[in-house]
Amino acid sequence: PGTGTPVSFGLTIEDVAGSLFDLAKHPAFIGLEVVEFNPYKDKDNKTIRLIWELVSIINGNIRPYNNNIA
């Protein structure tokens, strides 16, 4: 909910998490930019929690939802 440009049937958190997990392991990966987050539209901090979860995946602190990803 914390975006100014919502998209119906967009990417799922599982898809994004798995892709970022793989991307973060690539030697050329140097950073991540989070865009379109609007804290004034976020409800119950749902979007910011998802963002932090994705950042934690990139940092190697947690694994993505799909346990099949190595």
Side-chain angles (χ1 to χ4, degrees):
T3 181
T5 54
V7 177
S8 298
F9 306 107
L11 296 171
T12 66
I13 187 68
E14 293 85 1
D15 292 337
V16 174
S19 295
L20 285 177
F21 182 76
D22 291 338
L23 180 65
K25 294 188 291 185
H26 193 280
F29 179 76
I30 60 170
L32 170 74
E33 182 176 1
V34 177
V35 298
E36 297 296 330
F37 172 63
N38 185 338
Y40 298 108
K41 291 188 175 234
D42 203 5
K43 293 186 175 118
D44 299 321
N45 294 319
K46 180 179 180 180
T47 306
I48 193 65
R49 283 194 311 255
L50 290 174
I51 292 169
W52 276 114
E53 194 167 338
L54 293 173
V55 169
S56 294
I57 288 168
I58 290 172
N59 287 332
N61 296 332
I62 62 172
R63 293 185 56 81
Y65 296 102
N66 185 348
N67 291 328
N68 296 325
I69 298 172

XYZ file of all heavy atoms in Angstrom:
546
model
N 0.799 -1.224 0.000
C 0.000 0.000 0.000
C 0.835 1.280 0.000
O 0.326 2.336 -0.328
C -0.797 -0.109 1.293
C -0.002 -0.996 2.180
C 0.701 -1.955 1.249
N 2.097 1.192 0.326
C 2.920 2.384 0.471
C 3.577 2.851 -0.814
O 4.763 3.157 -0.818
N 2.820 2.925 -1.890
C 3.353 3.414 -3.147
C 2.370 4.380 -3.798
O 1.168 4.271 -3.597
C 3.660 2.249 -4.122
O 4.193 2.789 -5.331
C 2.432 1.434 -4.431
N 2.918 5.284 -4.567
C 2.064 6.215 -5.291
C 1.619 5.662 -6.632
O 0.775 6.235 -7.294
N 2.197 4.524 -7.035
C 1.874 3.940 -8.341
C 1.607 2.442 -8.213
O 2.384 1.613 -8.677
C 3.025 4.168 -9.345
O 4.237 3.667 -8.775
C 3.182 5.621 -9.691
N 0.511 2.063 -7.556
C 0.206 0.633 -7.407
C -0.103 -0.008 -8.764
O -0.634 0.653 -9.660
C -1.020 0.606 -6.503
C -1.642 1.946 -6.662
C -0.522 2.905 -6.979
N 0.234 -1.278 -8.894
C 0.004 -2.023 -10.128
C -0.738 -3.309 -9.790
O -0.268 -4.099 -8.970
C 1.341 -2.367 -10.827
C 1.103 -3.212 -12.065
C 2.097 -1.105 -11.174
N -1.889 -3.505 -10.415
C -2.624 -4.749 -10.199
C -1.841 -5.910 -10.793
O -1.256 -5.795 -11.870
C -3.992 -4.675 -10.878
O -4.758 -3.647 -10.318
N -1.823 -7.006 -10.087
C -1.149 -8.226 -10.533
C 0.333 -7.990 -10.810
O 0.898 -8.559 -11.743
C -1.850 -8.817 -11.770
C -3.320 -9.039 -11.559
C -4.252 -8.208 -12.161
C -3.757 -10.045 -10.719
C -5.607 -8.389 -11.960
C -5.108 -10.239 -10.504
C -6.033 -9.417 -11.123
N 0.965 -7.176 -10.003
C 2.400 -6.910 -10.146
C 3.223 -8.052 -9.571
O 2.719 -9.147 -9.327
N 4.490 -7.806 -9.352
C 5.386 -8.822 -8.818
C 4.972 -9.219 -7.405
O 4.527 -8.380 -6.624
C 6.817 -8.288 -8.776
C 7.451 -7.959 -10.120
C 8.772 -7.237 -9.901
C 7.660 -9.223 -10.931
N 5.195 -10.474 -7.079
C 4.938 -10.931 -5.717
C 6.208 -10.767 -4.896
O 7.318 -10.715 -5.441
C 4.509 -12.407 -5.681
O 5.613 -13.219 -6.117
C 3.288 -12.649 -6.562
N 6.060 -10.704 -3.590
C 7.224 -10.596 -2.711
C 8.123 -11.817 -2.862
O 9.344 -11.722 -2.806
C 6.794 -10.363 -1.236
C 8.005 -10.088 -0.353
C 6.003 -11.533 -0.701
C 8.677 -8.786 -0.636
N 7.520 -12.972 -3.115
C 8.309 -14.195 -3.290
C 9.187 -14.099 -4.538
O 10.361 -14.488 -4.517
C 7.398 -15.417 -3.378
C 6.664 -15.742 -2.090
C 5.360 -14.962 -1.911
O 4.989 -14.171 -2.799
O 4.708 -15.141 -0.863
N 8.626 -13.577 -5.621
C 9.399 -13.422 -6.852
C 10.552 -12.439 -6.659
O 11.684 -12.695 -7.070
C 8.509 -12.932 -7.998
C 7.499 -13.959 -8.447
O 7.718 -15.166 -8.226
O 6.468 -13.541 -9.030
N 10.262 -11.329 -6.050
C 11.282 -10.304 -5.842
C 12.364 -10.818 -4.893
O 13.567 -10.641 -5.137
C 10.658 -9.000 -5.310
C 11.738 -7.987 -4.949
C 9.698 -8.430 -6.331
N 11.964 -11.479 -3.817
C 12.925 -11.977 -2.836
C 13.884 -12.978 -3.467
O 15.101 -12.905 -3.259
C 12.188 -12.611 -1.651
N 13.352 -13.905 -4.243
C 14.211 -14.898 -4.885
C 15.177 -14.266 -5.866
O 16.358 -14.622 -5.909
N 14.701 -13.318 -6.631
C 15.561 -12.640 -7.610
C 16.651 -11.824 -6.916
O 17.810 -11.849 -7.334
C 14.722 -11.728 -8.503
O 13.836 -12.489 -9.272
N 16.289 -11.109 -5.874
C 17.285 -10.308 -5.156
C 18.316 -11.181 -4.459
O 19.491 -10.826 -4.390
C 16.607 -9.384 -4.141
C 15.901 -8.173 -4.730
C 15.216 -7.375 -3.623
C 16.858 -7.292 -5.495
N 17.892 -12.318 -3.961
C 18.819 -13.255 -3.308
C 19.881 -13.695 -4.307
O 21.077 -13.687 -4.008
C 18.034 -14.457 -2.770
C 18.883 -15.452 -2.048
C 19.336 -15.202 -0.773
C 19.213 -16.657 -2.653
C 20.113 -16.127 -0.098
C 19.980 -17.594 -1.994
C 20.437 -17.330 -0.710
N 19.445 -14.065 -5.513
C 20.386 -14.476 -6.555
C 21.249 -13.307 -7.016
O 22.459 -13.446 -7.195
C 19.644 -15.073 -7.751
C 19.012 -16.415 -7.436
O 19.458 -17.084 -6.479
O 18.061 -16.795 -8.140
N 20.640 -12.164 -7.214
C 21.356 -10.986 -7.681
C 22.438 -10.556 -6.687
O 23.554 -10.200 -7.082
C 20.379 -9.828 -7.905
C 20.963 -8.517 -8.395
C 21.548 -8.693 -9.790
C 19.909 -7.439 -8.393
N 22.143 -10.604 -5.418
C 23.083 -10.165 -4.389
C 24.349 -11.016 -4.372
O 25.396 -10.555 -3.919
C 22.414 -10.175 -3.018
N 24.274 -12.235 -4.869
C 25.447 -13.115 -4.903
C 26.353 -12.820 -6.095
O 27.487 -13.279 -6.137
C 25.004 -14.578 -4.946
C 24.295 -15.025 -3.683
C 24.031 -16.508 -3.667
C 22.990 -16.891 -4.687
N 22.604 -18.304 -4.626
N 25.870 -12.065 -7.071
C 26.660 -11.784 -8.267
C 27.784 -10.809 -7.920
O 27.556 -9.807 -7.236
C 25.763 -11.196 -9.359
C 26.417 -11.173 -10.691
N 27.326 -10.206 -11.043
C 26.301 -12.012 -11.746
C 27.745 -10.435 -12.267
N 27.137 -11.538 -12.721
N 29.005 -11.066 -8.394
C 30.135 -10.198 -8.032
C 30.008 -8.755 -8.539
O 30.633 -7.856 -7.977
C 31.344 -10.896 -8.668
C 30.805 -11.889 -9.619
C 29.403 -12.208 -9.207
N 29.204 -8.524 -9.560
C 29.052 -7.165 -10.070
C 27.971 -6.375 -9.337
O 27.811 -5.178 -9.577
C 28.721 -7.206 -11.574
N 27.247 -7.010 -8.443
C 26.184 -6.320 -7.697
C 26.811 -5.373 -6.684
O 27.608 -5.787 -5.843
C 25.288 -7.337 -6.982
C 24.193 -6.706 -6.168
C 23.078 -6.181 -6.786
C 24.293 -6.629 -4.788
C 22.068 -5.582 -6.048
C 23.289 -6.041 -4.046
C 22.179 -5.520 -4.673
N 26.442 -4.091 -6.781
C 27.045 -3.110 -5.865
C 26.027 -2.294 -5.084
O 26.400 -1.570 -4.170
C 27.998 -2.156 -6.602
C 27.266 -1.386 -7.694
C 29.186 -2.905 -7.167
C 28.079 -0.262 -8.306
N 24.739 -2.394 -5.412
C 23.797 -1.575 -4.675
C 22.357 -1.822 -5.068
O 22.062 -2.557 -6.004
N 21.481 -1.204 -4.329
C 20.045 -1.323 -4.537
C 19.414 0.045 -4.304
O 19.772 0.737 -3.341
C 19.450 -2.329 -3.552
C 17.931 -2.406 -3.484
C 17.390 -3.108 -4.727
C 17.500 -3.155 -2.239
N 18.506 0.415 -5.170
C 17.774 1.665 -4.998
C 16.296 1.333 -4.805
O 15.712 0.606 -5.603
C 17.940 2.561 -6.216
C 17.239 3.882 -6.078
C 17.486 4.804 -7.263
O 18.191 4.415 -8.199
O 16.963 5.923 -7.231
N 15.719 1.833 -3.747
C 14.295 1.635 -3.474
C 13.567 2.890 -3.929
O 13.874 3.990 -3.466
C 14.035 1.365 -1.971
C 12.555 1.249 -1.702
C 14.786 0.121 -1.518
N 12.624 2.719 -4.838
C 11.879 3.855 -5.367
C 10.383 3.628 -5.202
O 9.936 2.503 -4.968
C 12.209 4.107 -6.857
C 13.673 4.453 -7.030
C 11.861 2.907 -7.703
N 9.642 4.698 -5.317
C 8.178 4.658 -5.259
C 7.616 4.304 -3.886
O 6.451 3.962 -3.773
C 7.592 3.713 -6.318
C 7.876 4.118 -7.737
C 7.235 5.444 -8.125
O 6.179 5.808 -7.596
O 7.816 6.114 -8.990
N 8.435 4.354 -2.842
C 7.904 4.137 -1.491
C 7.390 5.462 -0.967
O 8.092 6.463 -0.957
C 8.970 3.577 -0.556
C 8.515 3.521 0.875
C 7.447 2.716 1.244
C 9.137 4.283 1.840
C 7.015 2.676 2.561
C 8.715 4.237 3.162
C 7.651 3.434 3.519
N 6.154 5.464 -0.512
C 5.534 6.661 0.042
C 5.054 6.335 1.457
O 4.022 5.691 1.633
C 4.362 7.112 -0.831
C 3.762 8.419 -0.357
O 3.909 8.801 0.790
N 3.077 9.094 -1.251
N 5.791 6.749 2.472
C 5.423 6.405 3.844
C 4.063 6.948 4.270
O 3.425 6.392 5.167
C 6.545 7.001 4.684
C 7.186 8.023 3.817
C 6.978 7.580 2.401
N 3.600 8.005 3.609
C 2.303 8.581 3.967
C 1.143 7.708 3.491
O 0.034 7.815 4.003
C 2.170 9.994 3.399
C 3.219 10.923 3.960
C 4.278 11.352 3.175
C 3.169 11.340 5.285
C 5.250 12.185 3.691
C 4.144 12.174 5.807
C 5.181 12.588 5.011
O 6.147 13.403 5.535
N 1.395 6.852 2.519
C 0.351 5.956 2.021
C 0.442 4.557 2.640
O -0.456 3.750 2.476
C 0.431 5.845 0.500
C 0.043 7.114 -0.200
C -0.044 6.895 -1.689
C -0.557 8.166 -2.323
N -1.700 7.964 -3.156
N 1.542 4.270 3.305
C 1.740 2.947 3.907
C 0.706 2.718 5.002
O 0.340 3.636 5.729
C 3.150 2.847 4.479
C 3.632 1.416 4.599
O 2.920 0.503 4.148
O 4.740 1.223 5.128
N 0.215 1.513 5.087
C -0.778 1.160 6.110
C -0.174 0.144 7.061
O 0.299 -0.913 6.644
C -2.024 0.580 5.444
C -2.767 1.608 4.620
C -4.062 1.070 4.078
C -4.786 2.188 3.375
N -5.000 1.976 1.980
N -0.170 0.479 8.328
C 0.365 -0.395 9.377
C 1.812 -0.805 9.107
O 2.232 -1.899 9.467
C -0.508 -1.637 9.550
C -1.932 -1.302 9.953
O -2.108 -0.369 10.780
O -2.862 -1.943 9.441
N 2.566 0.069 8.432
C 3.980 -0.179 8.127
C 4.212 -1.434 7.291
O 5.294 -2.010 7.310
C 4.808 -0.239 9.407
C 4.842 1.087 10.112
O 4.970 2.134 9.485
N 4.712 1.067 11.421
N 3.208 -1.853 6.545
C 3.316 -3.078 5.757
C 4.422 -2.971 4.696
O 5.249 -3.873 4.557
C 1.983 -3.391 5.083
C 2.008 -4.645 4.256
C 0.657 -4.930 3.639
C 0.719 -6.205 2.808
N -0.570 -6.505 2.209
N 4.440 -1.884 3.960
C 5.410 -1.741 2.875
C 6.822 -1.582 3.411
O 7.760 -2.198 2.890
C 5.040 -0.552 1.965
O 3.690 -0.729 1.525
C 5.958 -0.462 0.771
N 7.004 -0.792 4.442
C 8.359 -0.602 4.987
C 8.894 -1.912 5.561
O 10.089 -2.207 5.454
C 8.428 0.555 6.004
C 9.887 0.933 6.297
C 7.714 0.209 7.293
C 10.633 1.488 5.125
N 8.040 -2.736 6.139
C 8.491 -4.050 6.633
C 8.941 -4.935 5.473
O 9.937 -5.651 5.589
C 7.394 -4.734 7.443
C 7.245 -4.155 8.847
C 6.412 -5.055 9.743
N 5.177 -5.466 9.102
C 3.967 -5.001 9.383
N 3.826 -4.103 10.326
N 2.897 -5.430 8.758
N 8.221 -4.881 4.355
C 8.625 -5.659 3.180
C 9.962 -5.162 2.632
O 10.822 -5.966 2.254
C 7.558 -5.578 2.086
C 6.261 -6.311 2.364
C 5.240 -6.019 1.266
C 6.502 -7.806 2.474
N 10.144 -3.852 2.616
C 11.411 -3.296 2.148
C 12.557 -3.773 3.028
O 13.600 -4.211 2.535
C 11.351 -1.757 2.096
C 10.389 -1.307 0.991
C 12.740 -1.157 1.897
C 10.048 0.173 1.025
N 12.379 -3.705 4.333
C 13.437 -4.146 5.247
C 13.712 -5.635 5.087
O 14.859 -6.083 5.208
C 13.086 -3.825 6.696
C 13.441 -2.428 7.071
C 12.583 -1.420 7.396
C 14.745 -1.846 7.110
N 13.278 -0.260 7.629
C 14.608 -0.498 7.469
C 16.023 -2.347 6.869
C 15.694 0.355 7.599
C 17.112 -1.491 6.989
C 16.942 -0.161 7.355
N 12.677 -6.406 4.827
C 12.866 -7.837 4.609
C 13.702 -8.076 3.349
O 14.611 -8.911 3.341
C 11.513 -8.523 4.488
C 11.591 -10.010 4.599
C 10.224 -10.631 4.802
O 9.286 -9.950 5.264
O 10.093 -11.822 4.497
N 13.425 -7.333 2.288
C 14.194 -7.475 1.058
C 15.650 -7.043 1.262
O 16.571 -7.693 0.772
C 13.549 -6.676 -0.067
C 12.186 -7.189 -0.529
C 11.562 -6.231 -1.527
C 12.286 -8.591 -1.105
N 15.869 -5.976 1.995
C 17.232 -5.538 2.290
C 17.955 -6.593 3.124
O 19.136 -6.870 2.893
C 17.222 -4.166 3.000
C 18.599 -3.818 3.550
C 16.725 -3.088 2.044
N 17.266 -7.223 4.046
C 17.869 -8.274 4.862
C 18.259 -9.479 4.007
O 19.280 -10.117 4.260
C 16.905 -8.717 5.960
O 16.693 -7.672 6.872
N 17.472 -9.777 3.004
C 17.806 -10.870 2.090
C 19.087 -10.532 1.337
O 19.997 -11.366 1.212
C 16.645 -11.141 1.112
C 15.489 -11.812 1.864
C 17.099 -12.008 -0.058
C 14.192 -11.862 1.081
N 19.189 -9.312 0.851
C 20.383 -8.905 0.121
C 21.612 -8.943 1.017
O 22.692 -9.348 0.603
C 20.196 -7.491 -0.476
C 19.188 -7.558 -1.609
C 21.520 -6.918 -0.962
C 18.791 -6.218 -2.148
N 21.463 -8.548 2.258
C 22.585 -8.553 3.198
C 22.935 -9.952 3.691
O 23.901 -10.116 4.427
C 22.283 -7.656 4.395
C 22.358 -6.197 4.032
O 23.082 -5.821 3.126
N 21.604 -5.374 4.729
N 22.135 -10.939 3.321
C 22.407 -12.310 3.752
C 21.909 -12.627 5.143
O 22.249 -13.663 5.705
N 21.111 -11.751 5.724
C 20.617 -11.979 7.083
C 19.465 -12.973 7.132
O 19.274 -13.642 8.149
C 20.177 -10.662 7.717
C 21.341 -9.710 7.891
O 22.472 -10.124 8.045
N 21.066 -8.424 7.829
N 18.667 -13.049 6.068
C 17.585 -14.032 6.005
C 17.516 -14.598 4.601
O 18.017 -14.014 3.647
C 16.210 -13.433 6.389
C 15.804 -12.315 5.418
C 16.185 -12.940 7.815
C 14.385 -11.827 5.640
N 16.906 -15.764 4.473
C 16.736 -16.390 3.171
C 15.355 -16.033 2.614
O 14.449 -15.752 3.360
C 16.869 -17.914 3.298
C 18.276 -18.332 3.677
C 18.455 -19.827 3.695
N 18.111 -20.473 2.453
C 18.895 -20.542 1.381
N 20.070 -19.980 1.406
N 18.510 -21.177 0.290
N 15.238 -16.064 1.295
C 13.929 -15.770 0.700
C 12.921 -16.838 1.008
O 13.244 -17.915 1.514
C 14.234 -15.699 -0.792
C 15.498 -16.420 -0.980
C 16.260 -16.321 0.300
N 11.660 -16.564 0.692
C 10.551 -17.457 0.993
C 10.697 -18.818 0.321
O 10.357 -19.830 0.890
C 9.228 -16.836 0.521
C 8.885 -15.569 1.233
C 9.098 -14.339 0.634
C 8.357 -15.602 2.513
C 8.778 -13.176 1.288
C 8.035 -14.436 3.171
C 8.244 -13.227 2.552
O 7.934 -12.081 3.199
N 11.194 -18.822 -0.905
C 11.290 -20.051 -1.665
C 12.525 -20.824 -1.235
O 13.634 -20.473 -1.575
C 11.348 -19.735 -3.165
C 11.337 -20.983 -4.014
O 11.507 -22.078 -3.517
N 11.136 -20.793 -5.306
N 12.347 -21.893 -0.473
C 13.467 -22.663 0.047
C 14.204 -23.439 -1.037
O 15.235 -24.035 -0.770
C 12.995 -23.627 1.148
C 12.577 -22.880 2.385
O 13.123 -21.820 2.687
N 11.603 -23.393 3.100
N 13.684 -23.467 -2.253
C 14.359 -24.160 -3.342
C 15.504 -23.349 -3.916
O 16.290 -23.838 -4.713
C 13.363 -24.485 -4.473
C 12.301 -25.439 -4.010
O 12.553 -26.324 -3.199
N 11.093 -25.267 -4.515
N 15.596 -22.110 -3.527
C 16.671 -21.242 -4.040
C 17.916 -21.486 -3.218
O 17.903 -21.412 -1.989
C 16.259 -19.763 -3.962
C 15.037 -19.527 -4.846
C 17.407 -18.857 -4.374
C 14.440 -18.155 -4.700
N 19.005 -21.785 -3.892
C 20.254 -22.071 -3.172
C 21.043 -20.811 -2.931
O 20.929 -19.852 -3.590
C 21.093 -23.047 -3.983
